[in-house]
Amino acid sequence: MALTPKERMQITRQPMRERDGAARSQDFSEVNEGFTAEVARLEAERCLRCKDAKCIAGCPVGIDIPAFVAHVADGDLHAAADVLLRDNALPGITGRVCPQEEQCEQRCIRGKGAGCSVAVGHLERFVADWARTQSDAVAPPREPTGFRVAVVGSGPAGLTAAGELARRGHGVTVYEALHAVGGVLRYGIPNFRLPNEIIEAEVERLTAAGVEIVTNVVVGTTLTVDELMQEEGFDAVFIANGAGLPVFMGIPGEDLIGVYSANEFLTRVNLMEAYRFPDADTPVVAAKRAVVIGGGNTAMDSVRTARRLGATEATLVYRRSRAEMPARKEEVHHAEQEGINFRLLCSPVQILANEAGWVRGIECVEMELGEPDASGRRRPMPVKGSEFVIECEVVIEAIGTRANPLLTQTTPDIVLNERGNIIVDEDGMTSKRGVFAGGDITRGAATVILAMGDGKKAAAAIDRYLTGVDAPAATI
Amino acid sequence: MFTIIRAEWLSPGVKRMRLRAPLVARHRQPGQFVILRVQETGERIPLTVADSDADAGTIDLIVKVVGKTTAMLCAKARGEAIADVAGPLGRPTELSSDGHAVLIGGGVGTAVIYPLAHALRSLRNRVTAIIGGRTREFIVLEEELGAAADEVLPCTDDGSYGFQGTVADRLSNLIACAEEPIDTVYAAGPVPMMRAIADLTRPYAIRTIVSLNPIMVDGTGMCGGCRVNVGGETKYACVDGPEFDAHEVDFAALANRLTAYRVQEQLARERYDSKCALEVSRH
Ligand SMILES: Cc1cc2nc3c(=O)[nH]c(=O)nc-3n(C[C@H](O)[C@H](O)[C@H](O)COP(=O)(O)OP(=O)(O)OC[C@H]3O[C@@H](n4cnc5c(N)ncnc54)[C@H](O)[C@@H]3O)c2cc1C
Ligand SMILES: Cc1cc2nc3c(=O)[nH]c(=O)nc-3n(C[C@H](O)[C@H](O)[C@H](O)COP(=O)(O)OP(=O)(O)OC[C@H]3O[C@@H](n4cnc5c(N)ncnc54)[C@H](O)[C@@H]3O)c2cc1C
Ligand code: SF4
Ligand code: SF4
Ligand code: FES
């Protein structure tokens, strides 16, 4: 018996069960425990099933949100999963890491005024986790087309493209520079947000669908793009090597021991499992006091990781105010629960050394917001004489990345923009015929769902290019 | 998996290993290295490719045992395999031609300069190699270098073999009385040695290239852990190097950063050694 809109409006947003902040800040297990079937159904009943559903336009891949949510409400998880997987190959991942409050949930009609949007992300995660335990999820293999496509990089863009291409019957080989698959999902985003099992399950699904994955291949040096096409017999290449190169602020003291880029710190802990040292061989400096610079997801992941490694004082330093923090809202909320200190509106000046060449603290200056800058945000300006020192043994800089030049250096016929990112046309094709690109290498640091969207779009364009149906012409 | 097809000790604690790694072998040029992981849960460490055979699909590494990972690697015998090898990484050496090149290897640094000898020779250089070790036993690759270099000058701290003194002392003599002026010096070894060489050649303005050995993780420019200060700029040794102009390098910062994990390294080594000892006593 269907509910009336009025009845739906009376249901309040169902909270996500979270493990206790103090307990979880000691370990790396997942923070969110997921919805129970009952809670998921109740949350799904809150959806008004709008005819002109605004939430869909908020999702970069256009998931039919009212349809999948209605299936959850009706208890037909199979149908819900089908709807999700039609537009999103990795719902277990996006359900966990999408910035929903700026995308689907921001547009939800129920979020207007004092209301609370439908928890689309949490429902997506619920359905995906259910689907992962079902064995019949593997799509039947297609008739092989005989075409072969090389995918460079196994982050969300590469994995999505690989799945889409295999589904269309093309032979796919994914080349990954590291020894493990997943890109930022693996080496960047910590287990307490995105457990490794979820990435592994997605990868297993791909290999079951016939995708070959080769690790330890750095395309550009181990094999060049030209070799892939001319010698290894690939008919097309999709480049999804991400935005690898970390940027440092350039303040004095960055050579000291205890200064990390977020990439290095997170890679040591997540990919190399330094939190298990000495059972795993890679060490990391575990500090009692750690300072992280930045306000994005990377900064939030770093500061919460430092806390879990034993920092009793884990502090985030950000030069703007809370409203400007680009991190997901849920992460900021979780960080607060875990006892992270926020030093907003302050900016690092220099990192201080002890006599042994280790970090002993960081000098910062307070900021005030001045006139709006080009991005429309008010520009932070230092307040004279407000310098102060935070004592710490570790400083982690999470202020951004640049495009990694390793691959593009050896492929000069791929045109880059002034920031080193690959330029693509609306099909995702680069200036080099048959070579496509997507994800962070074309956008600069962006999001998982945008990278996946690029992978999907490029796979469709590669399919057209290979099969000659509406083949895209090079336009760059 | 990457299979070991040859392994032999060159001197106490220094092993030469030949691995099957066809893709690396095909592209590798002098000056480049690989990053390897001996086993699951292992650390990623960089090692120079000392030699390669593209047809046979093999690369040679020369490894000095200094800690747990190198000890584990050198404990492997022919027929065994290691988990991961990625490369070739780093920029190839920019080789000079038609001049007098002096190669300087301190300890296992000899493995780093060794591949340059042949390459420099084929570019019509006169090649002099100065190689150092604590005692005679620690002089490695003398014969192999002899096949490529015009002259090999071994040095030992105690004078048990060759010149008595450091490789820097030997270079100093060479500069003082060279019949042929030196155009380029390539040096690899411990940081204090490379720094001494840089200080020595600076007043003579001899082009001097050093191969730096900072701690690395990914080796692809992704982590920034290998950053070094060269000419006041931050460079990532794995993608911008590992070779840099010696006269521009901030050796003090490099030496400091290399000590970052000393306590953990000792712990790892002790645990590994006692585990090995236990296994031996069981047999
Ligand atoms: C710590 C952190 C937290 C984040 N949190 C979020 C979040 O909560 N939500 C969100 O939406 N986004 C988040 N992001 C951003 C998001 O992860 C990225 O936008 C996304 O992963 C980009 O995907 P990609 O496939 O383009 O590249 P990547 O995920 O970067 O993957 C690229 C892969 O290519 C490999 N590679 C690189 N060069 C080569 C080569 N030459 N040859 C072969 N392989 C190569 C790399 O090793 C890597 O595995 C976060 C990013 C970071 C760093
Ligand atoms: C470009 C490059 C080429 C190299 N080529 C050779 C070679 O041909 N032969 C050779 O024997 N050695 C070479 N090295 C040094 C070698 O990488 C280290 O000896 C090795 O990593 C030590 O690991 P471990 O676990 O055995 O010792 P640990 O006990 O972990 O460390 C001993 C010392 O080695 C250094 N070190 C530790 N971890 C790393 C790491 N991940 N990366 C770099 N250095 C580290 C530190 O100075 C440390 O104090 C090279 C290093 C670089 C950067
Ligand atoms: S993929 Fe992301 S934006 Fe789209 S519906 Fe799911 S959570 Fe929302
Ligand atoms: S806008 Fe909100 S209420 Fe309407 S269909 Fe989308 S999720 Fe449901
Ligand atoms: S080793 Fe990570 S950037 Fe060089």
PDB file of all heavy atoms in Angstrom, chain A residues 55-75:
ATOM      1  N   CYS A  55      16.997  15.640  -8.542  1.00  0.00           N
ATOM      2  CA  CYS A  55      18.188  14.957  -8.032  1.00  0.00           C
ATOM      3  C   CYS A  55      18.994  14.341  -9.179  1.00  0.00           C
ATOM      4  O   CYS A  55      20.228  14.309  -9.124  1.00  0.00           O
ATOM      5  CB  CYS A  55      17.782  13.871  -7.041  1.00  0.00           C
ATOM      6  SG  CYS A  55      16.522  12.753  -7.681  1.00  0.00           S
ATOM      7  N   ILE A  56      18.302  13.868 -10.223  1.00  0.00           N
ATOM      8  CA  ILE A  56      18.998  13.169 -11.316  1.00  0.00           C
ATOM      9  C   ILE A  56      20.015  14.099 -11.976  1.00  0.00           C
ATOM     10  O   ILE A  56      21.145  13.708 -12.263  1.00  0.00           O
ATOM     11  CB  ILE A  56      17.988  12.635 -12.356  1.00  0.00           C
ATOM     12  CG1 ILE A  56      17.033  11.642 -11.682  1.00  0.00           C
ATOM     13  CG2 ILE A  56      18.718  11.972 -13.527  1.00  0.00           C
ATOM     14  CD1 ILE A  56      15.966  11.076 -12.603  1.00  0.00           C
ATOM     15  N   ALA A  57      19.600  15.355 -12.171  1.00  0.00           N
ATOM     16  CA  ALA A  57      20.503  16.301 -12.820  1.00  0.00           C
ATOM     17  C   ALA A  57      21.709  16.616 -11.931  1.00  0.00           C
ATOM     18  O   ALA A  57      22.750  17.051 -12.407  1.00  0.00           O
ATOM     19  CB  ALA A  57      19.763  17.586 -13.155  1.00  0.00           C
ATOM     20  N   GLY A  58      21.579  16.374 -10.636  1.00  0.00           N
ATOM     21  CA  GLY A  58      22.699  16.627  -9.722  1.00  0.00           C
ATOM     22  C   GLY A  58      23.731  15.526  -9.760  1.00  0.00           C
ATOM     23  O   GLY A  58      24.844  15.695  -9.254  1.00  0.00           O
ATOM     24  N   CYS A  59      23.377  14.383 -10.335  1.00  0.00           N
ATOM     25  CA  CYS A  59      24.312  13.256 -10.400  1.00  0.00           C
ATOM     26  C   CYS A  59      25.076  13.315 -11.713  1.00  0.00           C
ATOM     27  O   CYS A  59      24.468  13.302 -12.781  1.00  0.00           O
ATOM     28  CB  CYS A  59      23.557  11.935 -10.302  1.00  0.00           C
ATOM     29  SG  CYS A  59      24.608  10.515 -10.638  1.00  0.00           S
ATOM     30  N   PRO A  60      26.411  13.386 -11.641  1.00  0.00           N
ATOM     31  CA  PRO A  60      27.186  13.519 -12.880  1.00  0.00           C
ATOM     32  C   PRO A  60      26.967  12.389 -13.891  1.00  0.00           C
ATOM     33  O   PRO A  60      27.215  12.580 -15.076  1.00  0.00           O
ATOM     34  CB  PRO A  60      28.634  13.531 -12.394  1.00  0.00           C
ATOM     35  CG  PRO A  60      28.567  13.984 -10.979  1.00  0.00           C
ATOM     36  CD  PRO A  60      27.270  13.469 -10.453  1.00  0.00           C
ATOM     37  N   VAL A  61      26.508  11.223 -13.439  1.00  0.00           N
ATOM     38  CA  VAL A  61      26.243  10.157 -14.414  1.00  0.00           C
ATOM     39  C   VAL A  61      24.747   9.909 -14.596  1.00  0.00           C
ATOM     40  O   VAL A  61      24.354   8.943 -15.246  1.00  0.00           O
ATOM     41  CB  VAL A  61      26.980   8.832 -14.071  1.00  0.00           C
ATOM     42  CG1 VAL A  61      28.488   9.031 -14.153  1.00  0.00           C
ATOM     43  CG2 VAL A  61      26.582   8.304 -12.704  1.00  0.00           C
ATOM     44  N   GLY A  62      23.922  10.755 -14.015  1.00  0.00           N
ATOM     45  CA  GLY A  62      22.487  10.725 -14.296  1.00  0.00           C
ATOM     46  C   GLY A  62      21.763   9.464 -13.862  1.00  0.00           C
ATOM     47  O   GLY A  62      20.880   8.961 -14.572  1.00  0.00           O
ATOM     48  N   ILE A  63      22.093   8.952 -12.700  1.00  0.00           N
ATOM     49  CA  ILE A  63      21.392   7.761 -12.196  1.00  0.00           C
ATOM     50  C   ILE A  63      19.902   8.073 -12.022  1.00  0.00           C
ATOM     51  O   ILE A  63      19.541   9.156 -11.558  1.00  0.00           O
ATOM     52  CB  ILE A  63      22.003   7.319 -10.843  1.00  0.00           C
ATOM     53  CG1 ILE A  63      23.405   6.754 -11.086  1.00  0.00           C
ATOM     54  CG2 ILE A  63      21.125   6.311 -10.122  1.00  0.00           C
ATOM     55  CD1 ILE A  63      24.123   6.338  -9.829  1.00  0.00           C
ATOM     56  N   ASP A  64      19.054   7.114 -12.381  1.00  0.00           N
ATOM     57  CA  ASP A  64      17.604   7.287 -12.202  1.00  0.00           C
ATOM     58  C   ASP A  64      17.280   7.053 -10.725  1.00  0.00           C
ATOM     59  O   ASP A  64      16.869   5.966 -10.318  1.00  0.00           O
ATOM     60  CB  ASP A  64      16.862   6.291 -13.106  1.00  0.00           C
ATOM     61  CG  ASP A  64      15.364   6.564 -13.125  1.00  0.00           C
ATOM     62  OD1 ASP A  64      14.888   7.344 -12.267  1.00  0.00           O
ATOM     63  OD2 ASP A  64      14.685   5.987 -13.991  1.00  0.00           O
ATOM     64  N   ILE A  65      17.504   8.105  -9.941  1.00  0.00           N
ATOM     65  CA  ILE A  65      17.427   7.979  -8.489  1.00  0.00           C
ATOM     66  C   ILE A  65      16.026   7.581  -8.009  1.00  0.00           C
ATOM     67  O   ILE A  65      15.884   6.613  -7.243  1.00  0.00           O
ATOM     68  CB  ILE A  65      17.937   9.267  -7.818  1.00  0.00           C
ATOM     69  CG1 ILE A  65      19.434   9.410  -8.114  1.00  0.00           C
ATOM     70  CG2 ILE A  65      17.696   9.243  -6.309  1.00  0.00           C
ATOM     71  CD1 ILE A  65      20.021  10.777  -7.822  1.00  0.00           C
ATOM     72  N   PRO A  66      14.938   8.266  -8.461  1.00  0.00           N
ATOM     73  CA  PRO A  66      13.632   7.844  -7.940  1.00  0.00           C
ATOM     74  C   PRO A  66      13.330   6.376  -8.250  1.00  0.00           C
ATOM     75  O   PRO A  66      12.719   5.686  -7.426  1.00  0.00           O
ATOM     76  CB  PRO A  66      12.647   8.787  -8.643  1.00  0.00           C
ATOM     77  CG  PRO A  66      13.424   9.616  -9.589  1.00  0.00           C
ATOM     78  CD  PRO A  66      14.876   9.471  -9.285  1.00  0.00           C
ATOM     79  N   ALA A  67      13.792   5.879  -9.379  1.00  0.00           N
ATOM     80  CA  ALA A  67      13.508   4.480  -9.723  1.00  0.00           C
ATOM     81  C   ALA A  67      14.236   3.524  -8.779  1.00  0.00           C
ATOM     82  O   ALA A  67      13.621   2.597  -8.225  1.00  0.00           O
ATOM     83  CB  ALA A  67      13.921   4.204 -11.167  1.00  0.00           C
ATOM     84  N   PHE A  68      15.520   3.770  -8.548  1.00  0.00           N
ATOM     85  CA  PHE A  68      16.227   2.802  -7.693  1.00  0.00           C
ATOM     86  C   PHE A  68      15.734   2.898  -6.253  1.00  0.00           C
ATOM     87  O   PHE A  68      15.574   1.904  -5.558  1.00  0.00           O
ATOM     88  CB  PHE A  68      17.758   2.941  -7.854  1.00  0.00           C
ATOM     89  CG  PHE A  68      18.523   3.585  -6.737  1.00  0.00           C
ATOM     90  CD1 PHE A  68      18.830   2.886  -5.563  1.00  0.00           C
ATOM     91  CD2 PHE A  68      19.007   4.887  -6.864  1.00  0.00           C
ATOM     92  CE1 PHE A  68      19.559   3.486  -4.548  1.00  0.00           C
ATOM     93  CE2 PHE A  68      19.742   5.482  -5.851  1.00  0.00           C
ATOM     94  CZ  PHE A  68      20.006   4.779  -4.682  1.00  0.00           C
ATOM     95  N   VAL A  69      15.436   4.127  -5.825  1.00  0.00           N
ATOM     96  CA  VAL A  69      14.969   4.291  -4.446  1.00  0.00           C
ATOM     97  C   VAL A  69      13.589   3.635  -4.275  1.00  0.00           C
ATOM     98  O   VAL A  69      13.325   2.985  -3.253  1.00  0.00           O
ATOM     99  CB  VAL A  69      14.945   5.789  -4.062  1.00  0.00           C
ATOM    100  CG1 VAL A  69      14.331   5.987  -2.679  1.00  0.00           C
ATOM    101  CG2 VAL A  69      16.367   6.358  -4.081  1.00  0.00           C
ATOM    102  N   ALA A  70      12.758   3.753  -5.280  1.00  0.00           N
ATOM    103  CA  ALA A  70      11.435   3.112  -5.195  1.00  0.00           C
ATOM    104  C   ALA A  70      11.573   1.593  -5.090  1.00  0.00           C
ATOM    105  O   ALA A  70      10.849   0.937  -4.332  1.00  0.00           O
ATOM    106  CB  ALA A  70      10.598   3.487  -6.419  1.00  0.00           C
ATOM    107  N   HIS A  71      12.516   1.036  -5.816  1.00  0.00           N
ATOM    108  CA  HIS A  71      12.736  -0.414  -5.707  1.00  0.00           C
ATOM    109  C   HIS A  71      13.176  -0.794  -4.299  1.00  0.00           C
ATOM    110  O   HIS A  71      12.801  -1.847  -3.790  1.00  0.00           O
ATOM    111  CB  HIS A  71      13.785  -0.879  -6.726  1.00  0.00           C
ATOM    112  CG  HIS A  71      13.278  -0.891  -8.138  1.00  0.00           C
ATOM    113  ND1 HIS A  71      12.112  -1.525  -8.510  1.00  0.00           N
ATOM    114  CD2 HIS A  71      13.801  -0.363  -9.278  1.00  0.00           C
ATOM    115  CE1 HIS A  71      11.926  -1.378  -9.828  1.00  0.00           C
ATOM    116  NE2 HIS A  71      12.939  -0.661 -10.310  1.00  0.00           N
ATOM    117  N   VAL A  72      13.982   0.054  -3.676  1.00  0.00           N
ATOM    118  CA  VAL A  72      14.402  -0.242  -2.304  1.00  0.00           C
ATOM    119  C   VAL A  72      13.167  -0.228  -1.394  1.00  0.00           C
ATOM    120  O   VAL A  72      12.977  -1.111  -0.556  1.00  0.00           O
ATOM    121  CB  VAL A  72      15.455   0.778  -1.794  1.00  0.00           C
ATOM    122  CG1 VAL A  72      15.832   0.478  -0.335  1.00  0.00           C
ATOM    123  CG2 VAL A  72      16.705   0.748  -2.673  1.00  0.00           C
ATOM    124  N   ALA A  73      12.331   0.772  -1.592  1.00  0.00           N
ATOM    125  CA  ALA A  73      11.125   0.868  -0.761  1.00  0.00           C
ATOM    126  C   ALA A  73      10.237  -0.355  -0.951  1.00  0.00           C
ATOM    127  O   ALA A  73       9.616  -0.838  -0.010  1.00  0.00           O
ATOM    128  CB  ALA A  73      10.361   2.140  -1.118  1.00  0.00           C
ATOM    129  N   ASP A  74      10.221  -0.871  -2.173  1.00  0.00           N
ATOM    130  CA  ASP A  74       9.403  -2.058  -2.449  1.00  0.00           C
ATOM    131  C   ASP A  74      10.111  -3.349  -2.071  1.00  0.00           C
ATOM    132  O   ASP A  74       9.579  -4.436  -2.276  1.00  0.00           O
ATOM    133  CB  ASP A  74       9.050  -2.118  -3.949  1.00  0.00           C
ATOM    134  CG  ASP A  74       8.242  -0.909  -4.378  1.00  0.00           C
ATOM    135  OD1 ASP A  74       7.698  -0.228  -3.473  1.00  0.00           O
ATOM    136  OD2 ASP A  74       8.192  -0.612  -5.591  1.00  0.00           O
ATOM    137  N   GLY A  75      11.340  -3.241  -1.614  1.00  0.00           N
ATOM    138  CA  GLY A  75      12.076  -4.432  -1.205  1.00  0.00           C
ATOM    139  C   GLY A  75      12.641  -5.225  -2.362  1.00  0.00           C
ATOM    140  O   GLY A  75      13.097  -6.351  -2.185  1.00  0.00           O
TER     141      GLY A  75
END
